[in-house]
Amino acid sequence: MTARLFLRDNGLGLAFGTAFVLALIGQAFAGHADFNNQLVADDLQPISLGDYMASSDFAVDVMENWQSEYLQFFLYVFLTVWLVQRGSPESKSLDRIGVESDEDQQVGPHARPDSPRWAAAGGIRLKVYASSLGQVMGAIFVLSWLAQSVTGVSAYNEEQLRQLQAPTSWREYIVSADFWDRTLQNWQSEFIAIASMAILSIYLRQRGSPESKPVGAPHHSTGVEG
């Protein structure tokens, strides 16, 4: 495969991967400057960019965004099995609610010659593979939320000590206002984004996008991609 074909065939992943790295670098520089401004305001010595990126303050900001994003995908993957939205390309057809038949899903005896091996295997391997996307998204969400709580309590206690106040335990922190403020401000943005995409795509179009219906498709067409 030539480099040109590789870039064409993997353009979406490469574009978002590059955007992720650039955004993370930008966040590191902006967060470092803001953190040092706070230190100076507290009559403390600024720290280097490397020290900031290794700090709990940087880690908790990253983790709280990751966990909310993976919660969005985890819920979307599972809820769209059973919930539909009439007219939305983000929803499957109204007559396909549920896990669907083995024939529809091309598993077991209905697997194609080029189907994944576990799709044709049956038994526990098929059960695991059949929900592997949601399981992995859910696992990443739980792990990143745990990481947020651990780095969050460390960052919170550093701030407490700078203000000459007593630190708190991890158990106390995960029921604190600081933890849930960080968490819920991200969750609400993810939920409204999903709802907006599902509903606006009923009436609005983006020509050539698989996230949109064909421009001429009627509003009531459901599960149709452009």
Side-chain angles (χ1 to χ4, degrees):
M1 179 183 291
T2 65
R4 184 175 181 178
L5 284 175
F6 177 81
L7 291 174
R8 186 204 67 181
D9 293 352
N10 299 278
L12 189 60
L14 291 171
F16 276 100
T18 301
F20 163 73
V21 172
L22 292 175
L24 190 63
I25 292 172
Q27 179 187 349
F29 278 98
H32 175 239
D34 183 60
F35 187 73
N36 277 341
N37 287 339
Q38 295 178 26
L39 291 179
V40 171
D42 292 337
D43 294 325
L44 297 172
Q45 278 292 111
I47 62 174
S48 68
L49 177 64
D51 287 339
Y52 172 72
M53 293 183 67
S55 71
S56 56
D57 289 85
F58 178 68
V60 69
D61 288 341
V62 173
M63 287 298 103
E64 71 179 64
N65 286 294
W66 286 21
Q67 61 88 4
S68 64
E69 295 295 338
Y70 281 101
L71 174 65
Q72 173 190 159
F73 288 124
F74 166 69
L75 291 177
Y76 193 72
V77 166
F78 274 107
L79 292 180
T80 51
V81 174
W82 302 101
L83 303 181
V84 294
Q85 180 65 55
R86 181 179 174 87
S88 176
E90 298 298 309
S91 165
K92 59 183 179 179
S93 300
L94 305 180
D95 59 352
R96 294 176 58 197
I97 294 174
V99 294
E100 304 177 17
S101 67
D102 287 354
E103 183 177 3
D104 290 335
Q105 288 291 307
Q106 301 177 7
V107 298
H110 304 285
R112 299 175 10 166
D114 57 351
S115 294
R117 289 176 60 187
W118 280 32
I124 188 64
R125 285 187 294 174
L126 176 57
K127 288 184 181 296
V128 170
Y129 188 67
S131 60
S132 56
L133 179 60
Q135 290 174 15
V136 170
M137 291 294 182
I140 297 175
F141 159 65
V142 171
L143 291 174
S144 56
W145 200 19
L146 177 61
Q148 178 198 336
S149 70
V150 172
T151 55
V153 71
S154 179
Y156 181 80
N157 282 338
E158 287 178 8
E159 179 66 22
Q160 289 289 93
L161 292 173
R162 284 199 297 268
Q163 297 178 4
L164 303 179
Q165 297 181 22
T168 188
S169 68
W170 177 78
R171 289 185 178 182
E172 292 172 330
Y173 179 71
I174 61 173
V175 296
S176 69
D178 183 83
F179 177 73
W180 284 103
D181 177 57
R182 285 180 174 273
T183 297
L184 293 174
Q185 66 177 308
N186 284 283
W187 287 8
Q188 54 87 14
S189 64
E190 304 301 336
F191 297 154
I192 192 62
I194 294 176
S196 298
M197 186 64 182
I199 295 171
L200 292 177
S201 59
I202 298 173
Y203 306 104
L204 307 179
R205 307 287 189 269
Q206 182 61 53
R207 184 168 183 161
S209 174
E211 300 303 314
S212 166
K213 293 186 286 191
V215 176
H219 293 327
H220 61 76
S221 295
T222 307
V224 179
E225 297 178 348

